[in-house]
């Protein structure tokens, strides 16, 4: 079974620039999550999708972050404009619908450095 | 906010059992205890989960106290590759409660 694919693996941008991350979940996984992990901290949930609908985006800084999941498969997370404090690893995870006795499967993440 | 409390760090000798404790005193009756680990530069990896009975799989054992207010993850024969951050998470099974909310975790250092 192929895992959760994320790209790019690394990204360095200047503050005020924009950046986009891509995630391809495991086939058949209806639920998709984006997490932000700042160095030394646990992952923080940003947004949860069920198919192509948003279930929870309460922790997403909507003034600069946006995410979409067209056709209920791939997803993109965008930051515009980036700030220094956005430097982090952005993790994508997917799972079967809630209620299933399955854990999430995480991708390897995109490491963003804002300078 | 995370519903669990874990020690910040632990050491373990290679080949010995690693016992990682977790407190979850406010756990609800329909919430499960999940354990994940995160090896450096990788995404978190699922280890094991349980409701109230002890569980064992090829990676680890999970011991949950009878009152379900705490649990222990046991790695029976720790290797250097088990050095990682271990997260204990309480999780429900609905769209709202089924989200994984991570705390700080326990950094386990396995030493030769």
């Amino acid at each position: 079974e192929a895992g959760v694919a994320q790209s790019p693996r690394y990204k360095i941008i200047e503050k005020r620039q924009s950046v986009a991350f891509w995630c391809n979940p495991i086939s058949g996984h209806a639920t998709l999550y984006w997490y932000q992990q700042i160095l030394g901290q646990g992952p923080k949930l940003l947004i949860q999708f069920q198919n192509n609908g948003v279930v929870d985006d309460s922790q997403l800084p909507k003034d600069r972050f946006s995410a979409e999941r067209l056709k209920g498969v791939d997803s993109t997370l965008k930051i515009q404009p980036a700030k220094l404090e956005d430097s982090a690893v952005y993790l994508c995870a997917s799972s079967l619908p809630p209620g299933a006795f399955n854990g999430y499967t995480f991708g390897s993440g995109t490491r963003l450095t804002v300078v | 906010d995370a519903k669990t409390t874990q020690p910040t760090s632990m050491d373990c000798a290679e080949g010995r059992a690693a016992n990682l404790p977790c407190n979850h005193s406010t756990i609800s009756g329909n919430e499960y205890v999940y354990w994940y680990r995160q090896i450096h530069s990788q995404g978190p990896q699922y280890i094991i989960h349980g409701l109230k009975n002890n569980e064992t799989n090829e990676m680890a054992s999970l011991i949950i106290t009878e009152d379900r207010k705490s649990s222990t993850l046991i790695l029976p024969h720790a290797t250097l590759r088990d050095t990682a951050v271990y997260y204990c998470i309480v999780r429900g099974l609905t769209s709202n409660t089924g989200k994984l909310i991570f705390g700080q975790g326990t950094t386990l250092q396995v030493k030769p």
Side-chain angles (χ1 to χ4, degrees), chain A residues 7-8 11 13 18-22 34 76-79 110 112:
Chain A
S7 68
K11 189 74 177 180
I13 62 172
S18 63
V19 64
F21 314 126
W22 173 81
W34 283 100
T76 56
L77 176 69
K78 298 178 181 179
I79 307 175
T110 296
L112 173 68

Side-chain angles (χ1 to χ4, degrees), chain A residues 9-44:
Chain A
R9 191 75 173 88
Y10 303 93
K11 189 74 177 180
I12 300 174
I13 62 172
E14 295 182 349
K15 59 183 179 183
R16 293 188 289 274
Q17 285 187 322
S18 63
V19 64
F21 314 126
W22 173 81
C23 172
N24 179 240
I26 290 176
S27 177
H29 279 192
T31 311
L32 184 147
Y33 312 82
W34 283 100
Y35 285 81
Q36 178 193 58
Q37 186 171 25
I38 293 173
L39 185 65
Q41 299 181 15
K44 171 189 170 184

Side-chain angles (χ1 to χ4, degrees), chain A residues 9 33 35 37 40-43 45 48 50 55-56 91 95 98-104 106-108 111, chain B residues 32 34 36 38 40-46 49 87 91-96 98-104:
Chain A
R9 191 75 173 88
Y33 312 82
Y35 285 81
Q37 186 171 25
Q41 299 181 15
L45 180 65
Q48 174 186 353
Q50 183 73 20
V55 174
D56 181 5
L91 295 161
S95 72
F101 286 80
N102 290 288
Y104 294 17
F106 283 82
S108 295
R111 182 177 297 277
Chain B
Y32 288 72
Y34 277 73
Y36 280 75
Q38 188 172 24
H40 183 62
S41 296
Q42 297 182 20
Q45 174 193 24
Y46 167 81
H49 74 277
Y87 296 98
R91 178 194 184 198
L93 293 179
T94 67
S95 295
N96 184 48
K99 292 169 285 200
L100 286 179
I101 307 299
F102 290 83
Q104 294 290 91

Side-chain angles (χ1 to χ4, degrees), chain A residues 45-61:
Chain A
L45 180 65
L46 292 177
I47 189 168
Q48 174 186 353
F49 289 95
Q50 183 73 20
N51 295 309
N52 61 348
V54 175
V55 174
D56 181 5
D57 63 357
S58 59
Q59 298 299 307
L60 188 72

Side-chain angles (χ1 to χ4, degrees), chain A residues 59-79:
Chain A
Q59 298 299 307
L60 188 72
K62 299 180 188 64
D63 57 334
R64 298 183 301 106
F65 286 64
S66 64
E68 61 181 8
R69 190 183 184 197
L70 299 176
K71 301 181 181 178
V73 182
D74 292 5
S75 177
T76 56
L77 176 69
K78 298 178 181 179
I79 307 175

